[in-house]
Amino acid sequence: MAECTTLDSLLEMGFDRNRAEKAVAHTGNQGIERAMDWLMEHENDPDIDEPYVPPAGNTLGTTEEQSQSPTETSECTEFAEEGGDAKRPMTEEERKEQVKRLEELMKARQEERRERERKDEIEREKQRRKQGQELLQVKQKLQDDEMKKLADQRRREKMEDRLAKQRVKDKIARDREERARKFGGGSTSTGLSSPPSEAPLQSPLENQGAPPAKKDYDDCRIQVLPQNEANFNYGSTLSTVFKAQEPLAAVRVYVQMNGANGQDFNLITPYPRRVYTDLDMEKPLSELGLVPSAVLVVTKK
């Protein structure tokens, strides 16, 4: 009786027979509400509309019951009454009322399901956004760490460069003091203001007897010309006086301090052409043939 009523109610509500039979069978014929719940949960199954094939020994009633028509369903109800079932058959109005109630119940269940799915989707979206924010935070932290490393490296490089320049300056100062003590402490200011060209005039015979190349000079006037003035801060030339025993590194530091813009450069003599290397930087100006005066050209490396 109950099985026929559940299946019949589902059919009257418009469900396909295959779906209705599956719902009744899979819920163990435990009522219309359980069957409706099963239908809503499995409405997207790929085999939902295929005919129900009961397993062996577990059929939905008998084969004859599965093929019962609405008339036979009514006969099943009457048979149940004759067997002593106290429940009377429903009238047409009662049946319509029950169908209406079940339809409302199904709509309510569908609405609950849609609301639950909507909440689940909102929760999934929140999780996606949270994961995205966490990923962005991790990327930002990695970028901050990398920028910090680069900044630390640049600070170390600048500090090392300053220390290297200071060492060169200190070495030049020590060399000057040592030469001043060795040669009797000659006045540096006098050497800077009195170029070698202002030496006392000599007669032609004296000049012939004492070639300038063999004369010992204490000072050396260096004139520096930039090959490309756009790369340096000073004007067309630099000119100053050094001690003849000062290393070529002193000239290099002088150029750096007077407008080399922090650029690396070479020192060259044009005639005869010679490019001075790092090894030449420690040699005295007199040894390099730059005494008593010389012109050096600054070129960008």
Side-chain angles (χ1 to χ4, degrees), residues 3 7 17 21 52-69 72:
E3 182 180 86
L7 180 62
R17 173 173 287 275
E21 290 179 351
Y52 173 70
V53 179
N58 182 19
T59 61
L60 182 63
T62 63
T63 305
E64 294 177 355
E65 288 176 340
Q66 294 181 26
S67 60
Q68 282 180 339
S69 63
E72 292 171 335

Side-chain angles (χ1 to χ4, degrees), residues 10-79:
L10 292 174
L11 293 175
E12 288 187 4
M13 292 174 65
F15 287 104
D16 183 74
R17 173 173 287 275
N18 292 334
R19 296 193 179 198
E21 290 179 351
K22 286 183 178 182
V24 172
H26 286 289
T27 57
N29 194 21
Q30 295 182 7
I32 185 68
E33 293 185 7
R34 294 288 301 275
M36 289 171 56
D37 290 340
W38 187 93
L39 285 170
M40 286 187 291
E41 292 176 2
H42 296 271
E43 63 180 352
N44 295 322
D45 291 355
D47 60 344
I48 188 66
D49 291 319
E50 296 180 4
Y52 173 70
V53 179
N58 182 19
T59 61
L60 182 63
T62 63
T63 305
E64 294 177 355
E65 288 176 340
Q66 294 181 26
S67 60
Q68 282 180 339
S69 63
T71 305
E72 292 171 335
T73 302
S74 177
E75 293 175 359
C76 179
T77 303
E78 293 175 0
F79 176 77

Side-chain angles (χ1 to χ4, degrees), residues 158-172 253 256-257 261-263:
K158 289 182 179 179
M159 180 63 69
E160 292 172 358
D161 187 54
R162 284 196 295 269
L163 292 175
K165 290 181 179 179
Q166 187 62 40
R167 285 194 295 268
V168 173
K169 292 179 182 178
D170 293 342
K171 186 177 184 305
I172 292 172
V253 172
Q256 287 177 335
M257 295 175 63
N261 267 343
Q263 301 182 25

Side-chain angles (χ1 to χ4, degrees), residues 129-140:
R129 292 182 180 181
K130 181 179 179 181
Q131 292 174 357
Q133 292 176 353
E134 292 175 351
L135 182 60
L136 288 176
Q137 291 176 356
V138 171
K139 289 183 177 179
Q140 186 64 38

Side-chain angles (χ1 to χ4, degrees), residues 274-285:
R274 177 178 178 180
V275 179
Y276 293 99
T277 64
D278 293 338
L279 296 177
D280 295 329
M281 294 297 152
E282 300 299 326
K283 295 179 181 180
L285 298 177

